Amino acid sequence: MTASLPEDAGKAAIAEKGWWQAHQWLLLRRLTQLSILIVFLVGPLFGYWIVKGNLTSSLTLEVLPLTDPYILLQSFVAGHEIVSTAFIGAIIVTVFYLLVGGRVFCSWVCPINIVTDAADWLRRRLHIKGGARFSAQTRYWILLMTLLLAAITTSIAWELINPVSIVHRGIIFGSGFAVMVVVSIFLFDLLISRKGWCGHLCPVGAFYSILGRYSLLRVSASKREQCDDCMDCFMVCPEEQVIKPALKGKGKGIGPVIMDVNCTNCGRCIDVCAKNVFSYSNRFNNSTLLNVANKKEVAP
Amino acid sequence: MQDTARTLCGVSLLGLGLGVYSRQTHSLPATALRPPGVKNEKDFLSACVRCGLCVRDCPYDILKLSTFSDDIALGTPYFTARKIPCEMCEDIPCVKACPTGALDKELTNIDDARMGLAVIVDHETCLNYQGLRCDVCHRVCPLINKAITLEPRHNERSGKHTLFIPVVHSDSCTGCGKCERACVLEEAAIKIFPLKLAKGELGHHYRLGWEEKEKAGKSLVTPDQEHKYNLPEGLKYEHEGQGLMKDLPE
């Protein structure tokens, strides 16, 4: 089979598995993202305080503190001692992402993900090609820069322009400026740089990539020998470079589990693959030998 | 290599711009007051994660998170005294809610809060300075007769009345802003300013004679000696309030 057109990515899977099956993880992800927004919003809108605060730090049902470890790290570098409730919250969050994969924040929680996914979807439909290219390492340099800047300015400087928290805070606390940030990021990803923000620049994502370096939950190309090279997974993947070693590395003795830190565990590849190559797995299920044994067990 | 250099250059430029911008946000506008428990702006900006939990737990909806139009470090909590002042809750819920200690938990008595300092900025419009008995700032003060007192002065204009001049005492004023909110003028004559703008500071080498004398229990310089006057014959000077006397021959 030859590669399908960008806008046709996933059509084969729909024909093969049906629309719902071919969108199950995408729908579950959107449901999760919206649910998180909703639990934050029922407090300010209806007065039922399930969760107070926002993504940088929150308190759930008056007992569970959750804090973004990245912002607390910046605070620490800026000179603030972090022995506080926020520290406990950051540990809880860190342990969670150590298990499920750091970038799960990006694809399952972050409100910007919906924006950049929409931009990428439209980009494929409108056949927009080219644009500015950033080195794959840019986000890590920006991450380093934000930490240096925190130390030099003794303030959490990145928060002045961080679109992730600006948008989330804007939605929860009501600030019209969030709309402008959303539009800017959308247009940037649509017209200026393909997968530019989440895939190349965002230091929050870079931080969570590093956090998830040794995470347990992974996507695996467990039935990679069934791959018919349709390229649909590459088309929809927000970090397409992560797929190739796992999918095509059998000859080189590379296991089928996607071990790249930048994989967001979004599961879109599982959705769009008509041949059911991909599935959620764990990092230890990565032997090239095990692969043969697993073939029978994996759900259709 | 070239790619790395280009990336580094771009990232550095971004960092430089952001750094300059962040320095600017350190200068908080004088009208924006921080919630109780903030010692100084520098420490606060290293600690506040902009979660808004203080805003949520303020029972009077006084605190706001700043937005881009405010000239305040983005997303940080503040209040404006003239619009809505701090109610000085005894249990200080905003400080309790803060997860990072940006609002210092050591503040347990709201009277110890120093959100700013009230200053009579305009003597020319303050009604009490005109000899009227407005007294509103004094009467709304939660620490009445401690943070704001009324000091009697002679009214030179009428020649026979008393001015009751409101005087703010920094050892008691919490900067809650009730006086600024209540000032009856179109533009308040009493305003809350951040401490660094409102408060003078004596040179550290300064010693006030009368305080030192009290501390030591005695004069630290040569004791006062009786003054010698070189007066014309027949005159003498008496100290006990009598002044120049004619020294009448007996």
Side-chain angles (χ1 to χ4, degrees), chain A residues 111-259:
Chain A
I112 295 290
N113 174 267
I114 304 172
V115 180
T116 54
D117 273 3
D120 189 55
W121 181 86
L122 194 62
R123 201 180 162 93
R124 271 186 276 133
R125 295 273 165 314
L126 299 177
H127 301 279
I128 299 170
K129 295 233 159 50
R133 279 174 186 280
F134 298 99
S135 147
Q137 304 304 314
T138 311
R139 52 182 141 190
Y140 297 105
W141 288 113
I142 293 181
L143 173 63
L144 186 68
M145 179 271 282
T146 61
L147 294 175
L148 281 176
L149 210 57
I152 295 168
T153 63
T154 69
S155 70
I156 308 173
W158 179 249
E159 280 309 297
L160 296 173
I161 57 168
N162 182 3
V164 177
S165 52
I166 290 173
V167 168
H168 195 256
R169 195 169 48 236
I171 296 168
I172 311 296
F173 287 86
S175 158
F177 195 80
V179 179
M180 277 158 73
V181 175
V182 166
V183 171
S184 309
I185 294 276
F186 180 80
L187 292 178
F188 178 77
D189 265 28
L190 180 69
L191 303 172
I192 298 176
S193 179
R194 177 168 176 266
K195 293 167 184 175
W197 181 256
C198 299
H200 295 86
L201 301 180
C202 179
V204 182
F207 176 85
Y208 280 100
S209 279
I210 295 170
L211 190 63
R213 177 75 184 80
Y214 300 103
S215 71
L216 211 56
L217 181 71
R218 300 274 170 172
V219 173
S220 171
S222 48
K223 290 195 259 179
R224 55 186 170 180
E225 50 289 320
Q226 293 181 14
C227 173
D228 64 355
D229 297 331
C230 72
M231 297 288 282
D232 282 8
C233 54
F234 284 90
M235 232 74 92
V236 298
C237 180
E239 302 274 354
E240 65 237 337
Q241 77 282 6
V242 309
I243 297 179
K244 199 180 171 192
L247 186 61
K248 297 293 165 194
K250 197 174 185 187
K252 294 176 201 153
I254 302 170
V257 174
I258 296 175
M259 294 299 255

Side-chain angles (χ1 to χ4, degrees), chain A residues 44 49 52-54 56-57 59 71 75 78 80 84-86 135 138 141-142 145 149 152-161 166 169 172-173 175 177, chain B residues 3-4 7-8 11 14-15 18-19 21-23 25-26 42 45-53 55-57 65 67-68 73-75 99-102:
Chain A
W49 294 99
K52 277 181 189 170
N54 57 39
T56 60
S57 195
L59 188 63
I71 198 170
S75 174
H80 182 68
S84 57
T85 332
S135 147
T138 311
W141 288 113
I142 293 181
M145 179 271 282
L149 210 57
I152 295 168
T153 63
T154 69
S155 70
I156 308 173
W158 179 249
E159 280 309 297
L160 296 173
I161 57 168
I166 290 173
R169 195 169 48 236
I172 311 296
F173 287 86
S175 158
F177 195 80
Chain B
D3 204 32
T4 312
T7 305
L8 268 179
V11 171
L14 175 67
L18 185 55
Y21 175 47
S22 88
R23 295 304 293 185
T25 60
H26 278 237
K42 188 170 158 286
L45 289 182
S46 75
C48 175
V49 296
R50 302 121 205 257
C51 64
L53 286 171
V55 175
R56 291 299 184 219
D57 279 11
L65 290 185
T67 62
F68 268 93
L74 187 67
T100 65

Side-chain angles (χ1 to χ4, degrees), chain B residues 15-16 21 31 49 59 69 79 85 91 127 133-134 154 172 192-193 209 227 235:
Chain B
L16 188 69
Y21 175 47
T31 48
V49 296
S69 51
F79 70 98
D91 52 346
L127 296 179
R133 292 302 303 274
C134 164
H154 177 60
S172 297
I192 311 294
F193 286 144
H227 211 93
L235 290 175

Side-chain angles (χ1 to χ4, degrees), chain A residues 8 11 15 32 70 81 87 96 101 108 136 139 141 159 188 198-199 204 210 251 257 265 289 291:
Chain A
D8 290 338
K11 282 204 174 148
T32 311
Y70 172 48
E81 54 177 309
F87 186 57
F96 177 74
W108 291 78
R139 52 182 141 190
W141 288 113
E159 280 309 297
F188 178 77
C198 299
V204 182
I210 295 170
V257 174
N265 277 354
L289 291 170
N291 192 25

